Amino acid sequence: MASGLHDSTIQNPVIRWVDQRLPVFTMMQKEYGTFPTPRNFNYFWNFGPLAVITLVIMIATGIFLAMNYTAHTSMAFDSVERIMRDVNYGWLIRYVHMNGASMFFIVVLIHIWRNLYYGSYKSPRELLWILGVVIFLLMMATAFMGYVLPWGQMSFWGATVITNLFSAIPLVGNSIVTLLWGGFSVDNPTLNRFFSLHYLLPFVIAGVVFLHIATLHITGSNNPLGIEPKGPQDTVPFHPYYTAKDSVGIIVYLIVFSVLVFFTPNYLGHTDNYIPANPLVTPPHIVPEWYFLPFYAILRAVPNKLGGVLLMFGAIAVLFVLPWLDRSPVRSMRFRPIAKWFLLLWGVNFFVLMWTGAMPAEGIYVTIARLSTAYYFAYFLVILPLLSKVERPLPLPESISRAVLRGGGHLHGAAATAKPMEKA
Amino acid sequence: MRVPTLKAAILAATLSLGLAAPATQAAEGHVEVPNTEFSFDGPFGSHDRAAVQRGFQVYKEVCSACHSMYLMSYRNLRDIGLSEAEVTAIAASYQIQDGPNDNGEMFERPGRPSDRFRRPFPNDNAARAANNGALPPDLSVIVKARQGGADYIKALLMGYEDPPPGVTLMEGMYYNKYFAGHQIAMAPPLTGDGQVTWADGTQATVDQMAHDVSAFLAWASEPESDTRKAMGVRIILFLTVLGGLTYAVKRKIWARVGGDPVT
């Protein structure tokens, strides 16, 4: 080995030559080939890779849409319809991008749910979790600005309502709103800057995703039992075991995605967004995209504007400190007989919030939204800290292999220490 | 209430429970739009070209007096089965403003297939002035832009009736049981049987005209829908087979370590 070159184990001379100078192949082999991964993942662990794939799909389709889109108030709506009608397979690219946003939120919400249920946010994975919440925030900002671009009625009025929220901030609120708008109402400068940011933010997301995965590869993955692997008998190499299992999930995901795109592409959208934006006509109900509805419900549950805005952002902010609110050393809800039920209720409550967000803010809906909002926060701020002290967890298994292998991990002595792909 | 099963399945599968707009609409006291059987309903449905062509004729002879379809070009009519000569003839029957010419003047010339559908009014203000202050909406994407889609369009066209006792209409307004607020500025457009004469001999009843023009507008809103659904069927079949194979491979690989863990 020449001095200063990386000690590569790759056989192919050309790849070896590169790898000695830039050891990306060694790195890939280490991080995605032999990377020891708990052997007991269930299909909930598919949703991380699925989120990455969705991000790639969104960036790929988005680049082609941007080639044909015109960010001007007088042309944006028509340029989107031109993509649908006159660009080759433009309808496919646009419907994939449009429904891809919904798929992204479905996937990420399930990913977050898996974290909550199996306690993946707990030490030592706090930073991994925090970076995930950052990605979620960036996704919401990106999705919001993307929804403005077709310049339909909901684009325009959604942008007006959401940007106006910042005016609730004391003293500087109105200046911030003017800055966001680039003027004194949502208009062409707003559309232009939203387009620019909508193109920029996905790459910022990609950067944070890289950090998220880098952090994951330091701590290693959590697993459904929430106990750390204690040796090679508890893990399998990432490839081929999880590449194979993730592939199954990817196909199922693509089938669901295809049903949306090909058979009911506008189902998750709002019909009003096919009416060109008109600043003089306010739609009877301004409803955000479905993935914002729970937060929209929290916003409207508070009679005070500033209070509502604070609580809405608080709903995300509380996630940042979750690792320090839940002090129970037991990660997986499987071994937390009380917390488990409170979390399941929290999950149901999330859908209740989503539902009230779609309802008019009046009568019984307001009461339901308030109760739901209270529970959303109570779970994090009261129930989890309290349960950390009073709950008696079930006994944890001795090790992953003991718990999950048929026959307790001894009968399959040879199989227990799995080897990477070999030619059989 | 009509909830197609496919939509119901998606509803469950995509965690979007309770966020559908119909509930919001119900809260406003809208009349439920009756379901019309269209050939393009459902995942395997496709456009009935004869109906779409008849619908185009209704649009051309009735609706286009007030309603533009500015996203459509005459060339698009090839996609519903009209021949090159027919499309050229239809386009040429309109005078389209072009220019400026070498003298700097705008001039009129016969339309070409590449022209957009001619707008009935030069601008929105002219349209309002001619229609008692109301703006007839552009119909290019109208089926995508209304709750209930083509069902709603047909119901609206057939939904004119005398106002119930106690309801006073504003001047120049008509009572329509499917229109939000029930007062609509559009005069009943389909007034009687035989309003258009179809070359294929289909009898032009009001119901048939309403049905066919709704089918035409549905096609115009989503001209890709036949291609899209056909592609979707093929892609999902392919993915199902690929999924089966992938699952078999996964099981074989995991068999080396004693199969899937007991989770």
Side-chain angles (χ1 to χ4, degrees):
Chain A
M1 189 194 85
S3 67
L5 287 182
H6 172 70
D7 186 12
S8 178
T9 54
I10 306 260
Q11 298 299 316
N12 180 303
V14 178
I15 295 178
R16 182 185 169 84
W17 185 90
V18 176
D19 197 52
Q20 284 171 331
R21 287 154 183 81
L22 181 67
V24 283
F25 296 99
T26 301
M27 192 200 85
M28 283 304 289
Q29 181 61 20
K30 178 166 170 282
E31 302 298 341
Y32 288 100
T34 56
F35 189 68
T37 314
R39 63 188 308 149
N40 60 330
F41 283 178
N42 54 31
Y43 277 101
F44 271 116
W45 264 260
N46 277 355
F47 287 87
L50 288 180
V52 174
I53 283 174
T54 317
L55 179 63
V56 172
I57 291 175
M58 292 306 276
I59 290 179
T61 50
I63 286 171
F64 287 100
L65 287 177
M67 290 177 189
N68 293 289
Y69 170 76
T70 310
H72 189 280
T73 51
S74 65
M75 287 180 273
F77 186 90
D78 293 357
S79 75
V80 170
E81 274 301 319
R82 196 190 144 266
I83 291 171
M84 300 289 293
R85 288 156 192 272
D86 290 339
V87 173
N88 290 331
Y89 293 102
W91 58 268
L92 179 61
I93 300 170
R94 184 192 170 226
Y95 276 156
V96 167
H97 196 76
M98 191 174 116
N99 287 289
S102 288
M103 288 303 288
F104 211 165
F105 278 93
I106 291 169
V107 164
V108 164
L109 286 173
I110 297 175
H111 189 60
I112 292 173
W113 170 258
R114 186 263 277 162
N115 274 268
L116 294 176
Y117 192 86
Y118 297 110
S120 303
Y121 50 84
K122 290 184 187 183
S123 171
R125 299 183 183 84
E126 305 95 321
L127 188 58
L128 178 60
W129 164 257
I130 287 171
L131 287 168
V133 180
V134 170
I135 294 170
F136 188 49
L137 264 180
L138 286 169
M139 271 176 64
M140 291 204 276
T142 311
F144 163 66
M145 288 189 281
Y147 194 59
V148 175
L149 302 184
W151 209 244
Q153 274 290 66
M154 278 299 155
S155 300
F156 180 88
W157 290 100
T160 303
V161 169
I162 302 298
T163 47
N164 252 318
L165 295 179
F166 291 91
S167 70
I169 301 168
L171 300 175
V172 292
N174 284 319
S175 312
I176 290 177
V177 174
T178 308
L179 204 64
L180 283 171
W181 286 345
F184 300 99
S185 68
V186 174
D187 207 336
N188 200 48
T190 326
L191 180 60
N192 274 299
R193 60 192 57 196
F194 277 21
F195 180 46
S196 171
L197 292 173
H198 184 71
Y199 207 114
L200 169 71
L201 285 186
F203 296 98
V204 178
I205 292 177
V208 184
V209 167
F210 180 82
L211 297 179
H212 187 70
I213 296 173
T215 320
L216 172 70
H217 281 239
I218 297 295
T219 60
S221 296
N222 187 29
N223 62 76
L225 293 172
I227 56 176
E228 294 294 329
K230 295 196 169 65
Q233 73 280 7
D234 290 345
T235 62
V236 288
F238 189 83
H239 180 73
Y241 295 98
Y242 284 113
T243 41
K245 194 161 183 165
D246 286 341
S247 300
V248 175
I250 288 166
I251 306 285
V252 174
Y253 157 88
L254 288 177
I255 290 176
V256 174
F257 200 163
S258 301
V259 169
L260 266 183
V261 166
F262 292 104
F263 298 120
T264 176
N266 290 307
Y267 181 66
L268 293 170
H270 197 293
T271 45
D272 277 9
N273 226 28
Y274 282 108
I275 302 171
N278 185 348
L280 301 177
V281 178
T282 316
H285 289 290
I286 301 176
V287 193
E289 288 282 79
W290 69 267
Y291 35 81
F292 291 131
L293 289 174
F295 305 102
Y296 193 57
I298 292 175
L299 169 78
R300 296 192 307 177
V302 186
N304 172 288
K305 186 177 178 186
L306 179 60
V309 172
L310 286 177
L311 217 57
M312 184 179 71
F313 284 107
I316 304 292
V318 72
L319 298 177
F320 281 106
V321 291
L322 174 60
W324 295 276
L325 292 172
D326 180 6
R327 305 308 295 255
S328 168
V330 176
R331 293 193 192 116
S332 175
M333 286 294 175
R334 281 187 190 175
F335 306 106
R336 300 188 62 187
I338 306 173
K340 177 183 177 174
W341 294 106
F342 280 106
L343 176 63
L344 289 172
L345 182 62
W346 185 89
V348 173
N349 185 63
F350 191 78
F351 285 108
V352 173
L353 276 175
M354 196 181 272
W355 170 69
T356 53
M359 293 293 124
E362 57 200 28
I364 185 74
Y365 301 123
V366 178
T367 317
I368 298 173
R370 285 182 184 158
L371 290 173
S372 286
T373 303
Y375 185 73
Y376 179 99
F377 285 99
Y379 174 76
F380 293 119
L381 298 174
V382 182
I383 295 169
L384 277 183
L386 217 61
L387 284 183
S388 309
K389 293 203 171 65
V390 302
E391 185 183 40
R392 180 188 288 250
L394 303 177
L396 293 176
E398 199 180 309
S399 73
I400 294 174
S401 54
R402 264 296 167 94
V404 303
L405 288 184
R406 291 171 182 84
H410 291 298
L411 293 178
H412 294 283
T417 46
K419 294 184 186 68
M421 176 87 92
E422 286 165 357
K423 288 193 181 100
Chain B
M1 180 160 146
R2 186 181 77 105
V3 179
T5 40
L6 178 68
K7 282 195 174 180
I10 307 278
L11 195 78
T14 58
L15 314 177
S16 54
L17 283 161
L19 56 92
T24 324
Q25 296 279 320
E28 276 171 47
H30 277 232
V31 181
E32 204 56 55
V33 171
N35 182 20
T36 305
E37 294 256 327
F38 283 107
S39 65
F40 50 85
D41 285 342
F44 303 106
S46 62
H47 286 290
D48 172 1
R49 285 183 166 197
V52 173
Q53 288 184 19
R54 291 196 299 267
F56 167 67
Q57 195 180 336
V58 176
Y59 167 75
K60 184 167 166 274
E61 293 177 15
V62 183
C63 320
S64 72
C66 303
H67 290 279
S68 60
M69 288 187 85
Y70 77 102
L71 294 171
M72 300 290 294
S73 301
Y74 296 112
R75 63 181 163 82
N76 296 137
L77 296 171
R78 289 174 200 149
D79 300 344
I80 60 172
L82 296 189
S83 70
E84 192 71 48
E86 284 169 316
V87 171
T88 310
I90 289 169
S93 70
Y94 291 95
Q95 288 294 310
I96 305 285
Q97 193 184 49
D98 204 345
N101 63 14
D102 291 347
N103 297 325
E105 286 154 3
M106 303 303 280
F107 59 94
E108 297 226 315
R109 58 161 175 77
R112 294 190 281 252
S114 58
D115 285 319
R116 297 288 180 108
F117 279 18
R118 194 186 65 173
R119 300 186 192 211
F121 301 104
N123 54 58
D124 286 358
N125 287 3
R128 282 183 193 280
N131 287 285
N132 196 21
L135 178 68
D138 184 85
L139 298 181
S140 311
V141 288
I142 199 75
V143 168
K144 286 197 288 191
R146 293 291 182 277
Q147 282 288 336
D151 290 343
Y152 170 76
I153 303 293
K154 189 187 170 204
L156 186 83
L157 291 172
M158 310 271 295
Y160 287 89
E161 51 185 38
D162 291 329
V167 174
T168 329
L169 295 174
M170 285 188 292
E171 203 192 322
M173 302 296 268
Y174 301 86
Y175 188 86
N176 189 310
K177 60 178 168 178
Y178 297 114
F179 191 69
H182 302 310
Q183 294 203 41
I184 187 166
M186 174 170 69
L190 302 174
T191 47
D193 295 354
Q195 199 173 349
V196 297
T197 310
W198 283 319
D200 67 358
T202 308
Q203 216 195 334
T205 60
V206 170
D207 187 87
Q208 189 67 40
M209 289 188 288
H211 173 277
D212 289 352
V213 80
S214 303
F216 167 70
L217 293 173
W219 167 79
S221 286
E222 298 179 290
E224 87 296 344
S225 83
D226 286 359
T227 322
R228 168 159 58 74
K229 289 175 186 173
M231 187 188 280
V233 170
R234 275 179 283 144
I235 284 184
I236 287 174
L237 281 177
F238 168 77
L239 285 173
T240 308
V241 173
L242 187 65
L245 289 173
T246 312
Y247 186 67
V249 168
K250 182 249 164 198
R251 284 194 42 115
K252 193 157 193 300
I253 288 171
W254 276 82
R256 295 181 211 160
V257 289
D260 243 349
V262 188
T263 50

